Amino acid sequence: MASIDDKLNSLRAIIRGFSSALIAYSGGVDSALVLAVAHEQLADRALACIGCSPSYPQRELAAAVALAESLGANYRLIHPQEHLNPQYAANPNNRCYFCKSQLFQLLHNIATTEGWEVIADGVNVSDIEDHRFGISAAREVGVRSPLLEAGLTKEDVRQLALQLGLSVWDKPASPCLSSRVPHGTAITPRILQMIEQAEDAILALGFRDVRVRHHGDVALIELPLEDLQHGLELRDQILASVRAAGYRFVALDLAGLRSGSLNFTPLTVHSSIR
């Protein structure tokens, strides 16, 4: 079995083999590791592209820009406008396919026009099942996944990010805001704004991670299990701030924060804050 250092050397060799690369960069630990190694190996022949849209929180954009600047890496803001695609806005089970198709087609156009050899993403071994729709869209335009090619798991990525001094090495996963909306409920910029405002307000209270699941006029809040008690203690502040975002009812999910929880049968046991 390859050691973590062997995998890092493999990652470096893969990226060093690119004459130039566009990096699909969000500021999360996966794409941050790809960008850090690409900048190390390719310098100005690597460009981080940040896809700005209503489903990408402004807090994430600011953090992604700050990290790229701290690395000294070149970056560019791009605008896929996936929310204008009716197939995406309808929010089917394969919504991620339409989102990533818009992003990667835009990157493909940039690469073709400007002469970039490779488009690279942050997909790793642990992503294969959960991100299959996005991966399918990426493969259609020849996107490379250096982390996957080097055999890196999510645990490996975090270990290497720490080893390379990346501040996001332990950053919680941050799926797009559209993932907070149940499939079949149409996605609109207004709904995404409500979710973003509510999450921003809760994070401002000192929480490190949160999901606000959108159920019409009900906001179902997911906090890590260890933060549930603190959430109840801050009941009044949470209630006021989430209502200010546009929700009529506020509920705290006693099951805690679960990635992809809307993909499963909803739990009926929760604590309402009304």
Side-chain angles (χ1 to χ4, degrees):
M1 181 179 295
S3 69
I4 193 67
D5 288 333
D6 289 338
K7 290 182 180 181
L8 176 57
N9 289 334
S10 177
L11 177 63
R12 284 171 166 156
I14 290 167
I15 292 178
R16 190 165 56 245
F18 304 156
S19 63
S20 61
L22 295 179
I23 313 301
Y25 170 68
S26 67
V29 62
D30 302 312
S31 60
L33 179 60
V34 175
L35 176 59
V37 175
H39 178 62
E40 170 193 273
Q41 297 296 318
L42 304 176
D44 289 345
R45 292 180 289 120
L47 175 66
C49 292
I50 307 173
C52 302
S53 77
S55 67
Y56 185 54
Q58 288 297 305
R59 62 180 182 270
E60 293 295 329
L61 172 59
V65 168
L67 178 57
E69 291 179 343
S70 74
L71 293 171
N74 293 330
Y75 66 90
R76 182 186 301 177
L77 306 187
I78 62 173
H79 301 274
Q81 297 188 311
E82 74 280 354
H83 61 289
L84 300 180
N85 181 343
Q87 293 173 296
Y88 169 87
N91 197 14
N93 289 340
N94 62 341
R95 179 197 65 239
C96 290
Y97 171 81
F98 300 109
C99 175
K100 295 301 185 183
S101 289
Q102 297 270 139
L103 172 64
F104 290 128
Q105 187 59 56
L106 177 55
L107 289 174
H108 178 71
N109 293 342
I110 293 171
T112 300
T113 300
E114 300 181 9
W116 298 90
E117 182 199 8
V118 170
I119 302 167
D121 66 14
V123 169
N124 62 65
V125 172
S126 304
D127 292 330
I128 294 300
E129 181 60 28
D130 287 345
H131 298 267
R132 61 190 183 280
F133 293 124
I135 292 172
S136 176
R139 296 299 172 262
E140 288 178 359
V141 293
V143 174
R144 297 280 298 273
S145 300
L147 302 178
L148 178 62
E149 294 174 29
L152 292 165
T153 64
K154 188 71 171 189
E155 183 180 353
D156 293 332
V157 169
R158 291 197 181 280
Q159 184 176 342
L160 287 179
L162 176 60
Q163 185 175 317
L164 296 180
L166 299 180
S167 60
V168 294
W169 71 272
D170 63 344
K171 180 180 178 181
S174 183
C176 77
L177 295 174
S178 295
S179 68
R180 278 66 150 170
V181 183
H183 291 302
T185 298
I187 293 171
T188 67
R190 173 56 184 154
I191 287 175
L192 299 178
Q193 289 168 4
M194 290 171 64
I195 297 169
E196 182 173 4
Q197 182 179 337
E199 290 188 350
D200 283 347
I202 294 171
L203 292 170
L205 294 173
F207 296 98
R208 188 162 184 254
D209 204 4
V210 66
R211 301 284 188 278
V212 172
R213 307 294 185 186
H214 178 90
H215 296 276
D217 58 1
V218 177
L220 181 60
I221 300 170
E222 294 181 9
L223 293 170
L225 287 174
E226 62 270 21
D227 289 336
L228 287 181
Q229 182 59 44
H230 190 44
L232 290 172
E233 292 167 357
L234 295 179
R235 171 187 180 277
D236 292 341
Q237 295 97 311
I238 292 175
L239 177 59
S241 58
V242 176
R243 279 185 170 171
Y247 290 100
R248 184 179 178 190
F249 302 104
V250 185
L252 181 64
D253 193 330
L254 297 185
L257 193 156
R258 284 116 50 231
S259 179
S261 65
L262 289 181
N263 295 327
F264 304 99
T265 301
L267 295 176
T268 57
V269 181
H270 56 263
S271 171
S272 293
I273 305 176
R274 304 181 60 165

